[in-house]
Amino acid sequence: MQLTFLGTGGGAPSLQRNVTAIAFTHSPRGDTWLFDCGEGTQLQYMRSPLKPGRMNKIFITHLHGDHIFGLPGLLTSRSMGGITEPLTIYGPEGIKRFVDTALSLSGSYTDYPLEIVEIEAGPVLDDGEFRVSAWPLVHPLPCFGYRIEQHDKPGFLDAARLKEEGVPRGPWYQQLKAGARVTLEDGRVINGADYLGPATRGKTLAIFGDTAPTPTALQLAANVDLMVHEATLEAALQEKANGRGHSTTLQAAQVAKEAGAKRLIATHFSSRYLPRDMPRLLEECRSIFPDTELASDLAVFTL
């Protein structure tokens, strides 16, 4: 599983950073979910190894332009590229009206099934492999963070032991691997759970939208393997950041520390910061939470 940061700037793009978009790739064949879609996201997509046809879900944190202005172009280009796979967009109330209006007024359309789901706080989906839930944050517009939890993977089936005990191979092996009970032709009942090795714990990930400090953050990011949090401004500008519904470097790091996160990736930096400023921002984060990294455009992080 990998995160590719297609845009790491907040508010407006700069020569160093595009605005917010994060791709979560979660299968060997490249299946990808996109979190936010700021202006220019499709160009960043083309600069990355990601395949547009493998993107099947988009999660929007909130409706500020630096998180959604790339959507109409991405959706129509996906169609013009001949991609016919279905796509689902999840986001706050108003996301459907935004997409429908942009496509209608520009005479645009999609040749693939497009579903738009307006969400509230709570469970968003469970596809059998991942659970996704939305958590309300503190920002001038309704804004969510997303917690992604991978289901635990069953342990390996002990085929050698089954063979020793005279259990013949057959289609029931798949049921046994899932831990189910199977009745064989000779009447024996085999409990698959008795033949499985230890389960592999699923990964957990928290992707925050824009937010001022909030107690909800600790629940959203509780004990996650990887946490992505905005750090729009440096610690000295805390009042300015919080007044606009944003967090500082130190505040993002404090959330990671108190939530018990294993790793923090800070992103959504103000365009005031140039490359020479980044070591200072990283030092601020690491003074509170040492396992911090700063995102940069097209950087890839492995979970």
Side-chain angles (χ1 to χ4, degrees), residues 164-178:
E164 288 175 5
E165 297 183 8
V167 178
R169 286 188 170 274
W172 45 82
Y173 262 48
Q174 282 300 110
Q175 296 170 265
L176 293 175
K177 188 172 182 180

Side-chain angles (χ1 to χ4, degrees), residues 106-170:
S106 63
S108 303
Y109 58 89
T110 61
D111 285 329
Y112 51 85
L114 175 63
E115 181 182 9
I116 303 175
V117 180
E118 296 194 331
I119 65 168
E120 297 179 348
V124 173
L125 70 87
D126 188 334
D127 65 0
E129 184 177 2
F130 293 96
R131 286 184 299 270
V132 180
S133 54
W135 298 74
L137 300 175
V138 177
H139 201 56
L141 289 181
C143 185
F144 295 102
Y146 291 100
R147 182 180 175 98
I148 303 99
E149 300 171 292
Q150 183 185 34
H151 289 283
D152 292 344
K153 293 184 177 180
F156 289 106
L157 185 66
D158 192 342
R161 183 180 159 206
L162 286 168
K163 182 179 180 180
E164 288 175 5
E165 297 183 8
V167 178
R169 286 188 170 274

Side-chain angles (χ1 to χ4, degrees), residues 255-279:
V255 171
K257 180 179 179 179
E258 293 183 18
K262 294 181 176 62
R263 296 167 63 193
L264 166 65
I265 301 176
T267 188
H268 196 274
F269 304 106
S270 167
S271 58
R272 72 174 60 207
Y273 298 115
L274 300 175
R276 65 172 178 265
D277 298 310
M278 303 318 292

Side-chain angles (χ1 to χ4, degrees), residues 277-300:
D277 298 310
M278 303 318 292
R280 176 168 55 86
L281 299 185
L282 179 60
E283 183 178 354
E284 288 189 351
C285 290
R286 287 182 171 174
S287 70
I288 299 291
F289 190 77
D291 291 323
T292 301
E293 298 170 89
L294 301 188
S296 58
D297 282 22
L298 301 180
V300 179

